[in-house]
Amino acid sequence: MSPVHRVADDDPGEAAAEAVSGRAAALRTPWPGVRTSLPGPASAALLARKDAVLNGPLRDSTNIPVVLGRKTGHVLEDVDGNVFADHLSAWGAAPYGAQPPSVRAATLTAWDRYGMEIAQYLASEPVVALAERLVDLAPGGITRVAPSVTGTEAVEGAVKLARESTGRPVILGFLGQYHGESTYLTAASSTDLPGNTSNNTQYVAGLVLVPYPNRFRAPFHRGPGPYDDTLYLDYLETWVLRHQVEPDQVAGVLVEPVAGEAGILAPSAAWWEGLVGLAGRHGWRLILDEVQTGLGRCGEIFAGDLWGLEPDLLLLGKGIAGGGQPIAAVLGTEEVMAASNTHLGGTYAWEPAACAGALAGLDLLLSGGVLENARAMERTALGVLGPLVDEVEQVGDVRSVGAWACLEFVRDRETIEPAPAFQHAVHRAALRRGVLAISEPDKPLYRMQPPLTMEPELFAWSCTQVADAVREVAATPPAEVRA
Ligand SMILES: Cc1ncc(COP(=O)(O)O)c(C=O)c1O
């Protein structure tokens, strides 16, 4: 299997400019700038109120010392008037900026016309049109769609469908991948055990997790010599399938094509070839969790397109909302879904306005230039941030796929032990410079996840701010506390 090669030097086209034209002016005023200490007084007051009422994990105000006041174009303004370049994009759910006019118009028009309605019982035109559009877009073999509200539910639905269509119990997943917050999937999202699963891991049966390729922190490779991620498949075949689970007990293999929460990790073409081969040989459903990677994030419509993957089940969330209403989807083949009796979705799944907004979002994605813009961001991120690996001892690795970039900070090159104090200091320094990205306590990853339509100047400026924040912190590095 050969990866699909991208055009080498594709610049954002006119249509990308068109896609953001309604917001370009709004973007430039205001340009990012921080004028108070963080948090500013208005944010501090709201954070104190928040801390008094929200549950534990939502009370970490030191990490994000700002409260959103308004969102315009590709910037976030806090309640004190500080403006930040948006490197969150609602964790990928707002891929075209704050309020894409066409998504807004389509959503409101559909809501005026249909109101809230339960698609599972009473269909409407936007529901049918969205299902048709997704099937048209999807890789070969996909013919059916089931509605969902969240990515978590879409993954749960795929697990049910894989089991139903094979009559087998086990789902094979990958250590470090993330699939959602339900009781079952927190067990499968082994990225951050203490911070995420709250001891739920051992409560579910039918999951077998194996390592996923990670070139930087490779469990099966240390020291010199070529890195070869097919070793991970050797381990799966010769150990796991011999000693832990029989291959014909496995219903499906659940996998993110590029691991997002685990830090923008992409396996090799040879790994995919091996995995697809194993799945074919043993009758496993290939379940691609594209909730975060799908619809442009990785510079292709689906990240699986990077390797020409043809899944049995494909899950979408986040980007499908287009920044409008919550919506997600399970896509599958005729064999898996046509005769299924599995109920998916729920009261809010695919209410008509969400479907209409999603269709308008897909129009933006396909209007030309958006995917090229995402690919150009990869080149910019690697160009501006990549050299830090040679320049700054604490920058262990810099990775980027499409409109997604990740830095891993380390205490030293020898041990590559994570450097959380360094990372937190970089995050705070970047915030002071006007860049709001993703840095979570207990996770050694600093990630940038901008809207796909972010203007090249703003993205390049943001990368430069992050690079300067790294240099600033490296000049007087904070002490790392031993765990
Ligand atoms: C790969 C992947 N799958 C599933 C989910 C869960 O989606 P949601 O938060 O919409 O439930 C996420 C969320 O980050 C994700 O990244």
Side-chain angles (χ1 to χ4, degrees):
M1 182 181 309
S2 57
V4 174
H5 291 292
R6 295 165 166 177
V7 183
D9 270 314
D10 38 9
D11 278 323
E14 266 175 45
E18 188 67 35
V20 296
S21 63
R23 303 186 304 287
L27 166 76
R28 286 185 176 84
T29 45
W31 184 262
V34 173
R35 57 187 201 189
T36 70
S37 57
L38 297 176
S43 282
L46 275 163
L47 290 171
R49 283 169 57 193
K50 180 181 85 135
D51 289 356
V53 288
L54 288 174
N55 83 322
L58 298 177
R59 291 205 306 261
D60 180 21
S61 303
T62 45
N63 198 42
I64 300 294
V66 298
V67 172
L68 183 64
R70 103 183 40 237
K71 196 162 150 176
T72 332
H74 303 119
V75 297
L76 306 163
E77 189 176 333
D78 77 3
V79 283
D80 294 286
N82 298 308
V83 178
F84 305 90
D86 178 6
H87 288 275
L88 266 184
S89 62
W91 226 272
Y96 313 113
Q99 301 91 359
S102 58
V103 174
R104 182 177 190 279
T107 304
L108 290 177
T109 305
W111 186 68
D112 283 345
R113 180 167 182 154
Y114 303 104
M116 164 70 77
E117 197 43 83
I118 177 163
Q120 285 189 319
Y121 195 70
L122 185 58
S124 53
E125 201 274 340
V127 174
V128 180
L130 179 60
E132 288 170 346
R133 179 75 77 83
L134 290 174
V135 166
D136 279 354
L137 268 184
I142 299 285
T143 57
R144 301 269 164 184
V145 183
S148 182
V149 183
T150 66
T152 304
E153 289 170 311
V155 183
E156 291 264 4
V159 167
K160 287 201 236 176
L161 285 164
R163 286 180 170 153
E164 179 193 42
S165 67
T166 57
R168 301 174 178 186
V170 175
I171 298 295
L172 190 68
F174 293 91
L175 291 163
Q177 301 229 329
Y178 179 81
H179 300 292
E181 302 284 352
S182 61
T183 312
Y184 185 75
L185 289 171
T186 43
S189 69
S190 52
T191 325
D192 328 280
L193 281 185
N196 206 345
T197 63
S198 312
N199 299 323
N200 273 295
T201 320
Q202 304 306 326
Y203 299 167
V204 300
L207 266 178
V208 171
L209 302 178
V210 295
Y212 183 77
N214 182 337
R215 179 184 286 268
F216 185 63
R217 296 188 183 280
F220 295 138
H221 187 87
R222 192 161 281 192
Y227 170 79
D228 175 3
D229 63 8
T230 59
L231 284 179
Y232 291 73
L233 296 175
D234 293 347
Y235 168 75
L236 169 59
E237 244 188 309
T238 51
W239 291 95
V240 178
L241 297 181
R242 263 182 92 156
H243 299 285
Q244 190 177 4
V245 58
E246 293 180 34
D248 62 6
Q249 290 292 298
V250 175
V253 54
L254 171 62
V255 59
E256 287 179 82
V258 174
E261 297 307 303
I264 327 298
L265 302 169
S268 71
W271 186 87
W272 281 113
E273 191 169 358
L275 185 74
V276 168
L278 275 176
R281 203 161 349 123
H282 297 304
W284 305 340
R285 302 299 185 207
L286 178 62
I287 310 168
L288 283 193
D289 181 348
E290 294 243 20
V291 167
Q292 193 149 219
T293 55
L295 304 179
R297 178 58 54 193
C298 294
E300 302 287 342
I301 294 180
F302 304 103
D305 294 347
L306 289 165
W307 299 279
L309 301 178
E310 295 199 344
D312 300 289
L313 286 155
L314 189 156
L315 313 172
L316 295 175
K318 295 184 185 286
I320 190 179
Q325 301 299 294
I327 185 165
V330 181
L331 279 59
T333 59
E334 200 66 7
E335 193 184 349
V336 173
M337 285 178 78
S340 167
N341 278 322
T342 297
H343 281 249
L344 303 173
T347 307
Y348 297 121
W350 284 37
E351 53 100 11
C355 294
L359 280 163
L362 292 175
D363 285 342
L364 284 178
L365 178 70
L366 301 175
S367 64
V370 174
L371 295 175
E372 289 80 355
N373 201 41
R375 294 173 200 167
M377 287 194 226
E378 177 180 322
R379 292 194 295 276
T380 302
L382 293 176
V384 177
L385 299 168
L388 290 172
V389 172
D390 295 323
E391 185 189 326
V392 177
E393 165 86 8
Q394 292 91 345
V395 180
D397 201 22
V398 174
R399 302 184 282 273
S400 178
V401 180
W404 232 358
C406 173
L407 290 90
E408 270 198 64
F409 299 109
V410 295
R411 296 178 193 203
D412 59 71
R413 292 290 165 82
E414 200 57 36
T415 64
I416 65 165
E417 211 182 324
F422 193 95
Q423 176 182 323
H424 185 66
V426 169
H427 170 55
R428 294 294 298 233
L431 276 172
R432 285 194 299 276
R433 290 164 180 272
V435 174
L436 200 158
I438 299 176
S439 176
E440 299 171 277
D442 302 330
K443 217 176 195 185
L445 306 166
Y446 180 85
R447 284 177 294 160
M448 300 170 78
Q449 184 155 355
L452 308 178
T453 47
M454 181 177 274
E455 289 80 349
E457 317 91 276
L458 183 59
F459 185 72
W461 176 86
S462 303
C463 290
T464 305
Q465 297 312 307
V466 172
D468 287 346
V470 171
R471 293 186 185 104
E472 178 191 317
V473 175
T476 45
E480 298 292 343
V481 179
R482 292 268 148 223

